[in-house]
Amino acid sequence: MLRFAVSLVLLAAWAAATAQTAINYDNTSCSGCHISQASQPDTPMGSAMELPGANLVLEAHPSLRFHMGVFTWTVVTHDNRSTYTVSDGTNSLSLPIYYAFGAGTQTWVFEYQGAFYESLVSYYAGKHALGITTGDEQLRPQTLVQAMGRRLSTMDVNSCFACHSTNSVSHHKLTLDTLHPGLSCSHCHQGALQHAQEAAVDNFSQQPPSLKYISAASMASFCGQCHRSFSTVVRNGWLGKMDVRFQPYRMELSQCFIGTDPRISCIACHDPHKNLDRRLVDYDSKCLACHAPDAKPTIVGKARVCPVAKSHCVSCHMPRIELPGNHGLYFRDHDIRVVKTGEPYPD
């Protein structure tokens, strides 16, 4: 029977990361002054990665099971440790879960024989169950290693860790000894750690550059580093409903996206320091900032006024789309448009 024991190197790296977290990445040092942003650690971005002992999802679901073909996957959690096992009925391969990516819905990344793999099955919060990882539905594993997961390239590994944790990639190399799970202030605000240290001794001469006043186009590119920018999606040829989760790309497809108007920018509707507002009516004022009769014209002219309604705008103009795969994952399409019944999904 095949077994994989976690290496001492990985254990040491994880222990070092935990220690580093306590020393350098305590967001309370920022929230002492930036009170309105104090809720950021509790957002999906703040908890974009979970480490052992802090994985509330797996602790709440200590025994998970999924079957496809000859393979069976189980995820068992006990005493703050989670184990991912795949079996073909004769042999099995087990790995400890150390890196859980995602808040609520989770995919896991393992180190196996010197390489990193993305788990072939993930936990889906919408169904409270395991299922094939989004994007891997067409894969048909033939061996236990293939059933365990998809081998990641160096670029894939760096991208996964850089977007789900803080200070885990330096000079295009993975640095697990300084990893902080989730996105802390310094992930988006360059120089935040130094600023916090200097502020502690009343030195405010250097401050991180403000992101509040950058253009809508620049903000889309900035957020698109993880949420996928227009150029990234086009370059990779990612077409179809799967790209509805790439909000910056979808927003830039919108006819009303200009790139210089702050009224249609990522942060015009979303505060990254707070949980997503799911009350549709709360977004009406954002839409009417351009589409009200007395709204200031854009640089290309007066925005059209909706003849149908003045409330719950996004329910019509940003349809809720389910990702392929039947996993219960839905996203609001940020391609803002007049939606016509029966029309195909626009790319």
Side-chain angles (χ1 to χ4, degrees):
M1 179 175 292
L2 297 174
R3 290 283 174 184
F4 175 73
V6 65
S7 68
L8 292 177
V9 173
L10 186 58
L11 281 172
W14 175 72
T18 303
Q20 189 78 5
T21 296
I23 296 172
N24 289 336
Y25 293 98
D26 184 0
N27 280 356
T28 57
S29 62
C30 296
S31 62
C33 294
H34 302 278
I35 299 174
S36 62
Q37 287 85 37
S39 58
Q40 189 277 335
D42 298 323
T43 65
M45 288 199 301
S47 54
M49 176 190 283
E50 302 287 3
L51 295 179
N55 196 324
L56 299 181
V57 170
L58 294 183
E59 289 176 11
H61 302 84
S63 182
L64 296 164
R65 185 181 181 89
F66 180 75
H67 181 81
M68 183 181 74
V70 301
F71 297 104
T72 299
W73 291 262
T74 58
V75 176
V76 176
T77 301
H78 181 68
D79 289 339
N80 293 326
R81 296 181 180 180
S82 299
T83 304
Y84 176 100
T85 300
V86 57
S87 171
D88 62 6
T90 301
N91 296 310
S92 65
L93 177 61
S94 295
L95 300 98
I97 293 177
Y98 278 90
Y99 304 109
F101 292 77
T105 293
Q106 287 189 356
T107 299
W108 307 290
V109 171
F110 314 108
E111 187 181 17
Y112 178 68
Q113 294 186 348
F116 282 94
Y117 289 77
E118 177 187 75
S119 61
L120 190 63
V121 302
S122 299
Y123 173 79
Y124 290 95
K127 293 196 168 185
H128 304 289
L130 298 179
I132 296 297
T133 298
T134 299
D136 291 344
E137 290 85 0
Q138 303 306 315
L139 297 182
R140 293 295 179 265
Q142 301 299 314
T143 68
L144 280 175
V145 173
Q146 291 175 356
M148 173 186 71
R150 177 175 62 88
R151 182 168 177 163
L152 299 174
S153 67
T154 299
M155 184 178 295
D156 288 335
V157 172
N158 288 346
S159 178
C160 290
F161 278 87
C163 287
H164 287 265
S165 62
T166 301
N167 208 36
S168 57
V169 177
S170 177
H171 303 293
H172 308 291
K173 292 184 179 180
L174 196 62
T175 54
L176 296 178
D177 57 326
T178 57
L179 176 149
H180 166 72
L183 308 189
S184 71
C185 302
S186 62
H187 185 278
C188 295
H189 299 284
Q190 186 177 8
L193 286 179
Q194 181 180 353
H195 169 62
Q197 292 167 356
E198 293 176 350
V201 293
D202 294 328
N203 180 2
F204 296 94
S205 59
Q206 300 293 327
Q207 298 188 28
S210 175
L211 299 175
K212 184 177 181 180
Y213 302 107
I214 67 175
S215 70
S218 296
M219 182 58 71
S221 296
F222 182 83
C223 298
Q225 294 176 91
C226 292
H227 293 278
R228 303 299 189 271
S229 66
F230 187 93
S231 60
T232 298
V233 174
V234 171
R235 226 175 22 245
N236 287 279
W238 293 331
L239 300 175
K241 288 185 178 180
M242 191 64 71
D243 66 28
V244 72
R245 58 185 172 151
F246 305 145
Q247 297 92 342
Y249 162 71
R250 298 301 295 175
M251 183 176 66
E252 291 197 50
L253 290 177
S254 306
Q255 185 176 354
C256 56
F257 182 82
I258 299 169
T260 57
D261 196 320
R263 291 174 294 181
I264 179 164
S265 166
C266 301
I267 60 173
C269 294
H270 303 297
D271 184 341
H273 307 100
K274 297 179 180 179
N275 280 312
L276 180 66
D277 184 356
R278 298 187 182 278
R279 285 169 44 90
L280 300 188
V281 68
D282 291 345
Y283 295 96
D284 291 340
S285 61
K286 314 299 183 182
C287 301
L288 295 176
C290 292
H291 294 277
D294 57 349
K296 178 183 177 181
T298 70
I299 62 172
V300 296
K302 185 72 174 176
R304 289 195 297 172
V305 176
C306 181
V308 177
K310 300 296 184 292
S311 66
H312 294 81
C313 307
V314 300
S315 64
C316 288
H317 299 286
M318 298 177 67
R320 191 167 176 258
I321 305 291
E322 182 178 13
L323 280 189
N326 194 32
H327 297 312
L329 291 176
Y330 290 85
F331 290 82
R332 285 281 169 193
D333 189 359
H334 282 59
D335 179 4
I336 305 166
R337 63 191 187 277
V338 176
V339 181
K340 299 179 181 179
T341 303
E343 69 177 357
Y345 179 79
D347 271 311

